[in-house]
Amino acid sequence: QVQLVESGGGLVQAGGSLRLSCAASGSIFSIAAMGWYRQAPGKQRELVATITSGDERNYADSVKGRFSISRDNAKNTVSLQMNSLKSEDTAVYYCYCNAALFGVLKPRDYWGQGTQVTVSS
């Protein structure tokens, strides 16, 4: 199994910044992609940003130019720098990875427990 531990959520005023971090641990053979999704009350979970082991980044249109994702492949960590936050960014943010384990090479998706980000207007 893979455990994903998130940190860095909290309450911030509109226009402010937060940085989310996530560390993956377990019998990990490889991680193809890591990233962040979010879910606001009454809405479906949506992609925020992902990054591959080759450093290819993908962002939701709503966060382009404001959020930046980075990854440390050696440490199996991913971070999300969130700037110019808006009230509509308020959500529970979930760390995600697509990983293969030693002895079980077929990769699958793993999720963190989520961290709350609240942006006050």
Side-chain angles (χ1 to χ4, degrees):
Q1 290 295 319
V2 174
Q3 293 77 43
L4 295 171
V5 178
E6 302 129 329
S7 61
L11 174 65
V12 64
Q13 288 188 332
S17 299
L18 279 176
R19 185 176 181 86
L20 305 182
S21 296
C22 174
S25 61
S27 299
I28 300 169
F29 175 74
S30 65
I31 300 179
M34 299 188 79
W36 296 90
Y37 284 68
R38 68 186 180 187
Q39 187 167 18
K43 295 187 177 181
Q44 289 189 331
R45 189 173 298 190
E46 62 177 6
L47 178 144
V48 177
T50 58
I51 183 169
T52 69
S53 57
D55 241 18
E56 294 179 8
R57 293 168 170 84
N58 182 40
Y59 295 96
D61 288 343
S62 60
V63 307
K64 284 180 180 177
R66 300 188 297 122
F67 291 12
S68 178
I69 191 169
S70 59
R71 173 176 173 174
D72 186 328
N73 291 330
K75 296 181 179 180
N76 290 334
T77 60
V78 63
S79 296
L80 184 70
Q81 179 65 41
M82 305 185 293
N83 299 326
S84 303
L85 283 160
K86 306 176 181 179
S87 57
E88 50 263 46
D89 295 318
T90 295
V92 177
Y93 284 68
Y94 295 92
C95 181
Y96 151 87
C97 77
N98 181 269
L101 305 181
F102 283 105
V104 184
L105 295 183
K106 183 177 181 180
R108 55 156 284 192
D109 294 341
Y110 296 89
W111 296 92
Q113 79 285 357
T115 185
Q116 177 70 45
V117 171
T118 302
V119 184
S120 63
S121 56

